[in-house]
Amino acid sequence: MEFPSKLVEDAVNEVSKLPGIGKKTALRLVLHLLKRDEEQTESLANALVAVRSRTQYCRKCHNLSDNELCGICASNRRDASIICVVEDTRDVLAIENTAQFKGLYHVLGGIISPVEGVGPSDLQIDSLLQRLQGEDAGEVREIILALSPTMEGDTTAFYLQKKLRPFKLKISTIARGVPIGGDLEYADEVTLGRSILSRIAYE
Amino acid sequence: MEFPSKLVEDAVNEVSKLPGIGKKTALRLVLHLLKRDEEQTESLANALVAVRSRTQYCRKCHNLSDNELCGICASNRRDASIICVVEDTRDVLAIENTAQFKGLYHVLGGIISPVEGVGPSDLQIDSLLQRLQGEDAGEVREIILALSPTMEGDTTAFYLQKKLRPFKLKISTIARGVPIGGDLEYADEVTLGRSILSRIAYE
């Protein structure tokens, strides 16, 4: 594509560096901004620079936070005896949306993936172990591993189980089974097989 | 969604104002920026502010331009006797990519759409008529209306034809027919019918 304006070309190139956005979509977005008030572009640009330069990570759970301690870790209405280990902030949001969990989190910041060159030392695993030995020692009773049911997720969960064993805590993982509201015939074989093996007895 | 950080929330809100980007995609993009170098976010923000504040429109054809005259209008290798009228810059890029047109353009900046409240006075129609009376008077022989084959496009083309009639120029429109490379059986009825009515004789 040969652009009529160097400024447009630069903007399209920058926008298309974002994941899932190609040159055509980037051009559509840039042309949209050109049609709107200049203030809209400025507040977009300011919000992006602000979030990148000023966002911190909670020193306890490593979730995104505006302060040293995130709102969840700082709250006295959360159950500090359960820690839910997740891959990233989006998982925290997803679990918070269910309103089914009242404990604390620990955000790994990724998942063990040899393909992408991510090893245990790139993740917040040591800080989890330190947390269990340090300020939260004795308080924590259970660790829930809420990682994606993929090969990378299972590898990370396996590694964590090994590291957590010495602490003699209850370690659990989120249930795998048929999704609620889904038709049984459309469930994949592995999930359906797993849901039979992990069947739950009526009480 | 309740965000762990006000800064993240602000950024997600700003990004999700862009067309076709919802809150989930916006969050994915913001988290992507947080994982990258701070310079990447800064150059994205700077490029957006620069394009919005410094982009001009060519005083002749109203295409986006870094200068008073765009590269196409300023070139002496273009045929000034043909003007191709298009809706916006994306159409200019699409036609330039075909390398089949060597004339000049006139960018309307939109299309007549009563539903969206866009009338003839919101578009660069008067400036087209002034262009034909003013500096380009006598030079232009043909106007090609290259508008989308939709109801709005046809309405705009009809309006333009009426306005252009007094100039006694050749007025044409781009051919409608079956797309090249497409299977005939998948062409819609209207297009196929039109392609039969507008059939081209072998010479």
Side-chain angles (χ1 to χ4, degrees):
Chain A
M1 262 197 277
E2 210 177 291
F3 291 96
S5 150
K6 180 81 176 59
L7 293 165
V8 172
E9 186 174 358
D10 290 346
V12 167
N13 285 340
E14 286 297 331
V15 174
S16 62
K17 280 182 195 164
L18 295 171
I21 296 190
K23 295 258 166 169
K24 282 206 168 183
T25 306
L27 179 61
R28 193 163 54 82
L29 297 178
V30 170
L31 292 180
H32 170 87
L33 289 176
L34 286 173
K35 282 189 184 172
R36 297 299 150 113
D37 287 346
E38 197 162 338
E39 287 86 61
Q40 189 178 333
T41 305
E42 274 165 13
S43 57
L44 170 63
N46 291 340
L48 292 179
V49 169
V51 75
R52 182 63 190 80
S53 64
R54 286 172 24 214
T55 298
Q56 305 176 46
Y57 293 86
C58 171
R59 70 166 164 76
K60 201 162 170 182
C61 74
H62 301 278
N63 194 7
L64 293 171
S65 170
D66 290 336
N67 304 304
E68 208 196 332
L69 264 191
C70 74
I72 294 172
C73 286
S75 165
N76 55 12
R77 296 170 61 196
R78 309 287 304 208
D79 179 358
S81 69
I82 308 184
I83 294 178
C84 181
V85 177
V86 295
E87 183 182 339
D88 71 16
T89 295
R90 278 180 288 175
D91 302 323
V92 174
L93 291 174
I95 294 173
E96 284 297 288
N97 278 341
T98 69
Q100 296 293 330
F101 179 69
K102 286 292 157 212
L104 303 179
Y105 291 93
H106 192 85
V107 179
L108 296 177
I111 204 159
I112 294 173
S113 167
V115 179
E116 299 195 16
V118 180
S121 59
D122 300 314
L123 307 178
Q124 295 292 347
I125 293 178
D126 282 347
S127 66
L128 173 63
L129 303 178
Q130 278 161 23
R131 191 174 161 183
L132 295 175
Q133 289 162 332
E135 59 182 319
D136 288 4
E139 202 169 357
V140 181
R141 285 183 297 104
E142 180 174 355
I143 305 274
I144 306 176
L145 302 179
L147 302 168
S148 296
T150 59
M151 209 175 67
E152 286 88 357
D154 287 345
T155 305
T156 310
F158 185 76
Y159 181 87
L160 283 169
Q161 277 178 62
K162 216 176 56 183
K163 287 285 184 184
L164 291 171
R165 207 165 293 146
F167 292 94
K168 302 206 189 308
L169 303 165
K170 185 175 168 191
I171 303 175
S172 58
T173 183
I174 50 172
R176 279 106 162 93
V178 287
I180 292 163
D183 242 332
L184 214 62
E185 56 181 324
Y186 297 125
D188 68 285
E189 289 167 25
V190 181
T191 303
L192 192 55
R194 190 78 173 254
S195 77
I196 292 170
L197 286 178
S198 315
R199 63 195 176 277
I200 301 156
Y202 289 112
E203 286 172 14
Chain B
M1 262 196 277
E2 209 177 293
F3 291 96
S5 150
K6 182 79 177 58
L7 292 165
V8 172
E9 187 174 356
D10 289 346
V12 167
N13 285 340
E14 287 296 333
V15 174
S16 61
K17 281 182 194 164
L18 294 171
I21 296 190
K23 295 258 167 171
K24 281 205 169 183
T25 306
L27 179 61
R28 193 164 54 82
L29 298 178
V30 169
L31 292 180
H32 170 87
L33 288 176
L34 286 174
K35 283 188 185 173
R36 296 298 150 113
D37 286 345
E38 197 162 337
E39 286 85 61
Q40 189 178 332
T41 305
E42 275 165 12
S43 57
L44 169 63
N46 290 340
L48 292 179
V49 169
V51 76
R52 182 63 190 81
S53 64
R54 284 169 29 210
T55 298
Q56 305 176 46
Y57 293 86
C58 172
R59 71 166 162 76
K60 201 162 170 182
C61 75
H62 302 279
N63 193 7
L64 293 172
S65 171
D66 290 336
N67 305 302
E68 209 196 334
L69 264 190
C70 74
I72 295 172
C73 285
S75 166
N76 55 13
R77 297 169 61 197
R78 309 288 303 209
D79 180 357
S81 70
I82 308 184
I83 294 177
C84 181
V85 177
V86 295
E87 182 181 340
D88 71 15
T89 295
R90 277 181 290 175
D91 302 323
V92 174
L93 291 174
I95 294 173
E96 285 297 289
N97 278 340
T98 69
Q100 296 294 328
F101 180 68
K102 287 292 157 213
L104 303 179
Y105 291 93
H106 193 86
V107 180
L108 295 177
I111 204 158
I112 295 173
S113 169
V115 179
E116 299 195 16
V118 180
S121 59
D122 300 315
L123 307 178
Q124 295 292 346
I125 293 177
D126 282 346
S127 66
L128 172 64
L129 304 178
Q130 279 161 21
R131 191 174 162 184
L132 295 174
Q133 289 161 331
E135 59 182 320
D136 288 3
E139 202 170 358
V140 180
R141 286 183 296 104
E142 180 174 356
I143 305 272
I144 306 177
L145 303 178
L147 301 168
S148 295
T150 57
M151 210 175 67
E152 286 89 357
D154 287 345
T155 306
T156 310
F158 184 76
Y159 182 87
L160 283 169
Q161 277 178 63
K162 215 176 58 184
K163 287 285 184 186
L164 291 170
R165 207 166 293 147
F167 293 95
K168 302 206 188 307
L169 303 165
K170 184 176 169 190
I171 303 174
S172 58
T173 183
I174 49 171
R176 279 107 162 93
V178 287
I180 292 162
D183 243 332
L184 214 62
E185 56 181 323
Y186 297 125
D188 67 286
E189 288 167 27
V190 182
T191 303
L192 192 55
R194 189 77 173 254
S195 76
I196 292 171
L197 286 177
S198 315
R199 63 194 176 277
I200 301 158
Y202 288 114
E203 287 171 14

